Amino acid sequence: MIQLPASYEEYLVGKDPRFVDTVRPVLLQSAADKLHGVRVLFIPRGHQAHLDDTIPYGTIVEDID
């Protein structure tokens, strides 16, 4: 089982369950490879998340698309 870093767990606290369902798989992917951070995009119809090689592992950056 993949353990999320504390920074990722803290990011998810208090978030809407639908948001968590969207973002968590990418956080798990990041935690599995421990190479890249995650960029969360707020888009007109919801949210997207993806690994970003410009962001250090354990860091989440929010951005507006």
Side-chain angles (χ1 to χ4, degrees):
M1 177 166 240
I2 298 168
Q3 180 70 30
L4 292 178
S7 59
Y8 289 3
E9 291 287 353
E10 291 169 12
Y11 179 77
L12 295 175
V13 171
K15 299 283 196 282
D16 181 271
R18 290 176 293 168
F19 178 84
V20 172
D21 288 346
T22 299
V23 173
R24 188 172 179 79
V26 180
L27 298 180
L28 288 168
Q29 184 180 1
S30 173
D33 68 21
K34 297 182 180 167
L35 296 174
H36 309 296
V38 175
R39 183 172 304 276
V40 176
L41 294 173
F42 292 85
I43 58 175
R45 294 188 180 173
H47 304 90
Q48 291 181 343
H50 61 88
L51 297 180
D52 189 320
D53 62 359
T54 66
I55 301 171
Y57 170 67
T59 304
I60 299 170
V61 173
E62 293 181 340
D63 205 355
I64 298 172
D65 187 37

